[in-house]
Amino acid sequence: MFPAAFLLTILLLSLSIAASPVEIRDSLITLPIARKLNVFDGTTNFLQYDKARVTALKDGRQIGSTAVINEASYYIAAVGVGSPATTYNLIVDTGSSNTWVGANTAYVKTSTSVNTGQPVEVGYGSGSFSGTEYTDTVTLGSGLTITKQSIGVASTSAGFTGVDGILGIGPVGLTAGTLTKSPAKTIPTVTDSLHSQGTISQKVVSVLFGPTTSQTITNGELTFGGTDAAKYTGDIGYTPVTTTNPASTYWGINESITYGSTTILSSTAGIVDTGTTFLYIATGVHLECSE
């Protein structure tokens, strides 16, 4: 259970690492995000879901068939696709980079929809989807649009009850191999496209959320282009993306872990993942500390 007091968390992801990070507070796009608890399948098993996802993150993106567990707890954003736009509720995910729709609400083709003819598929450990790549107009926030954004349109999906897909805001390298006919090709993420089309001045995404005991509540924001100064006090601390594999493939950081005065890990690398509920350490380390 989360503490009763409102805990505020800001996650700042800088997609290009500068020697002296600069806080950008203009040309921002802010998108509300809502925490949602999946109760469609009765009592959810957060630990089972997270273990499956962590295994997939550690082993690398898995393509093809896989055992699935329905998403347990997640943050969703309402994203418009097409013109006129159809709204899809997408999981905000820093641990993957493909944006796709069609798990629940069917994709609606409009005049801006273009079928590229490329098959696309991604496995997440906790779920998967396969379908076809389209380019289309994607709307974020108050009418702010991305033109010709690559999206996946699912023909099959598993593990995504009650949501329509994923808004992937991880590193672009994670999209390599997801276009099965062009495995070496990467797909620009929504953040890449916002920057290349001049909508934001820096490739920066900040995620804000306040944990809650409510099943569904809008208690967060996804901000592209910088940080919302009204949502925090003091200075933001920066840490570089790790060079340690496999964490370096994601938004990975170097860290140390202590419990009270006991050092559990003096140096390790971990992944910052909005799609995982708990904090995880290596099983071997846990067993050593338990003995």
Side-chain angles (χ1 to χ4, degrees):
M1 171 132 350
F2 294 117
F6 183 80
L7 300 179
L8 190 63
T9 301
I10 293 181
L11 170 65
L12 180 64
L13 306 174
S14 177
L15 279 71
S16 56
I17 309 237
S20 301
V22 177
E23 292 185 26
I24 309 298
R25 298 188 180 186
D26 58 357
S27 69
L28 303 179
I29 297 174
T30 299
L31 185 63
I33 58 177
R35 185 258 193 174
K36 187 174 182 180
L37 177 66
N38 184 353
V39 295
F40 288 92
D41 298 319
T43 303
T44 54
N45 190 330
F46 291 98
L47 187 59
Q48 184 185 17
Y49 158 73
D50 267 7
K51 281 185 175 180
R53 182 174 174 88
V54 168
T55 298
L57 291 173
K58 183 179 69 173
D59 295 342
R61 193 62 46 206
Q62 302 296 311
I63 304 299
S65 300
T66 181
V68 300
I69 303 163
N70 275 317
E71 301 284 343
S73 179
Y74 40 75
Y75 281 85
I76 58 174
V79 176
V81 178
S83 182
T86 299
T87 299
Y88 300 92
N89 291 319
L90 305 184
I91 297 172
V92 176
D93 190 14
T94 61
S96 68
S97 303
N98 292 74
T99 292
W100 63 273
V101 301
N104 185 34
T105 302
Y107 177 59
V108 178
K109 297 178 184 178
T110 68
S111 60
T112 56
S113 306
V114 177
N115 185 338
T116 69
Q118 284 272 15
V120 57
E121 56 182 34
V122 183
Y124 300 91
S126 56
S128 64
F129 95 93
S130 62
T132 305
E133 182 196 34
Y134 277 71
T135 60
D136 210 335
T137 297
V138 172
T139 303
L140 302 169
S142 302
L144 297 167
T145 60
I146 306 168
T147 60
K148 299 180 180 179
Q149 172 63 41
S150 170
I151 60 169
V153 175
S155 54
T156 61
S157 65
F160 293 94
T161 302
V163 296
D164 298 319
I166 284 182
L167 179 66
I169 55 172
V172 68
L174 292 176
T175 64
T178 61
L179 295 176
T180 57
K181 288 184 177 179
S182 304
K185 182 179 179 181
T186 58
I187 301 169
T189 67
V190 291
T191 313
D192 292 328
S193 297
L194 285 169
H195 181 254
S196 65
Q197 294 179 21
T199 307
I200 58 176
S201 59
Q202 295 288 326
K203 290 185 182 181
V204 174
V205 183
S206 55
V207 183
L208 174 148
F209 56 87
T212 176
T213 55
S214 299
Q215 288 185 2
T216 302
I217 184 173
T218 301
N219 63 330
E221 283 185 356
L222 184 64
T223 303
F224 293 92
T227 59
D228 184 348
K231 297 300 189 299
Y232 65 90
T233 59
D235 298 323
I236 293 177
Y238 291 86
T239 184
V241 173
T242 184
T243 58
T244 302
N245 189 61
S248 58
T249 309
Y250 303 87
W251 298 126
I253 58 174
N254 293 321
E255 56 191 317
S256 61
I257 301 174
T258 60
Y259 180 74
S261 59
T262 302
T263 298
I264 298 174
L265 284 170
S266 59
S267 179
T268 188
I271 296 168
V272 180
D273 179 29
T274 57
T276 303
T277 305
F278 297 109
L279 299 177
Y280 286 86
I281 61 174
T283 302
V285 174
H286 173 263
L287 293 175
E288 286 181 16
C289 294
S290 300
E291 293 176 352

